[in-house]
Amino acid sequence: MKIALIGYGKMGKAIEKIALSRGHQIVSVIDINTADGFSSGEFKSADVAIEFTTPDTAFNNYMKAFEAGVPVVSGTTGWLDRIDEVKKMCKNEGKTFFYASNFSIGVNIFFAVNKYLAKIMNNFPAYDVRMTETHHIHKLDAPSGTAITLAEDILANVERKNRWTLDKEEQAADLPIHAIREGEVPGIHEIVYDSEVDYISIKHDAKSREGFALGAVVAAEFTAGKVGFLGMNDMLKF
Ligand SMILES: NC(=O)c1ccc[n+]([C@@H]2O[C@H](COP(=O)([O-])OP(=O)(O)OC[C@H]3O[C@@H](n4cnc5c(N)ncnc54)[C@H](O)[C@@H]3O)[C@@H](O)[C@H]2O)c1
């Protein structure tokens, strides 16, 4: 498959490595100083463009790729106030766009398992629920975005819980998230349902950051030749 890269930072470079190892060809690389590349024959020849840039530039990049007739897979965060415009273009103008705020396939499987378990546990009030997330010491935010997504999915399904809290539990209806920062841990999320007689836990433990890049390349393979607005649920068919 012919892939164009839009954004050649940490993710762009990781994606290039994985794409080449899976037998794909990188036909065009566009970064901040090579933005005129969108009109090149090489860019237009791509089966799909993978976009990882910045919140302020992503939407404009999508428009330029669409103009060139190239489908886009993007993982850039922080631009979602314009997502309805992109959805409309996919629906009305036959554009192709795949978006995921977390491309790790394992994390997306974990999201689905978490929702399923939460639906079951809604019927078993003897179990209290809590979460722990562990990340490297450089991470500035807490809890992690992934922990918040997991917590929101629990709150949507476990009626006895009505908010998540960070490192405290003030009321029985709280879902406490304990955030640990240590070493170079890429990311661990564990959810525990605890009763007087036992506990059930599910855990996702990332071995490296490569999972995001691999997920983006697999998404590009899935997207080539398709039309419309696509996401991880379409690809993983939950
Ligand atoms: N969805 C996911 O799974 C996932 C995973 C990791 C990172 N991200 C997101 O992906 C984005 C990029 O992450 P990163 O770690 O590669 O960042 P980075 O800062 O390492 O790279 C961004 C690159 O975009 C380039 N760029 C800036 N403006 C541009 C423009 N107008 N046209 C083309 N290129 C331009 C920069 O020069 C830089 O090379 C961020 O929004 C980050 O939050 C998402």
Side-chain angles (χ1 to χ4, degrees):
M1 195 169 73
K2 292 182 175 179
I3 296 176
L5 296 177
I6 311 173
Y8 198 53
K10 290 185 284 300
M11 284 303 294
K13 290 184 179 113
I15 286 164
E16 176 180 52
K17 217 164 113 190
I18 286 170
L20 293 174
S21 77
R22 289 173 73 91
H24 302 303
Q25 216 183 322
I26 305 296
V27 292
S28 172
V29 177
I30 294 177
D31 203 86
I32 193 157
N33 295 322
T34 50
D36 52 350
F38 286 99
S39 54
S40 70
E42 287 84 1
F43 183 81
K44 288 180 181 166
S45 76
D47 298 300
V48 61
I50 305 182
E51 203 271 3
F52 278 77
T53 60
T54 68
D56 294 341
T57 56
F59 184 81
N60 195 32
N61 288 333
Y62 308 153
M63 296 305 109
K64 286 184 186 160
F66 287 165
E67 267 169 40
V70 178
V72 178
V73 170
S74 179
T76 304
T77 47
W79 63 275
L80 291 184
D81 50 325
R82 302 198 75 175
I83 198 163
D84 285 343
E85 290 173 64
V86 178
K87 283 184 178 169
K88 220 179 267 175
M89 293 175 88
C90 290
K91 197 170 173 209
N92 301 337
E93 298 169 34
K95 306 295 185 202
T96 303
F97 186 80
F98 187 116
Y99 185 71
S101 57
N102 190 320
F103 267 102
S104 157
I105 290 170
V107 164
N108 282 274
I109 294 169
F110 191 63
F111 285 157
V113 172
N114 175 53
K115 268 190 223 167
Y116 185 65
L117 183 59
K119 281 190 179 110
I120 294 172
M121 298 314 286
N122 187 39
N123 298 319
F124 296 93
Y127 288 84
D128 201 5
V129 56
R130 63 177 184 269
M131 192 188 313
T132 303
E133 61 100 330
T134 309
H135 283 88
H136 52 87
I137 53 169
H138 316 289
K139 188 167 177 63
L140 298 175
D141 54 323
S144 68
T146 299
I148 292 172
T149 301
L150 289 163
E152 284 171 353
D153 287 342
I154 292 169
L155 296 177
N157 288 290
V158 178
E159 286 162 21
R160 58 189 179 277
K161 295 290 172 182
N162 62 24
R163 64 170 189 173
W164 60 261
T165 50
L166 180 61
D167 291 324
K168 61 181 181 198
E169 187 173 3
E170 289 169 346
Q171 314 155 15
D174 288 350
L175 161 57
I177 304 174
H178 182 37
I180 299 167
R181 297 291 171 259
E182 65 183 24
E184 295 299 327
V185 178
I188 302 172
H189 294 85
E190 183 173 25
I191 295 150
V192 176
Y193 288 88
D194 202 352
S195 80
E196 294 224 333
V197 292
D198 58 7
Y199 75 88
I200 302 164
S201 82
I202 55 170
K203 180 172 170 181
H204 179 273
D205 189 343
K207 291 186 178 174
S208 74
R209 295 180 183 86
E210 298 303 300
F212 303 119
L214 175 62
V217 175
V218 173
E221 291 164 0
F222 174 80
T223 299
K226 292 194 174 63
V227 174
F229 187 92
L230 304 162
M232 295 301 272
N233 285 343
D234 301 302
M235 183 168 86
L236 300 175
K237 297 202 172 33
F238 295 133

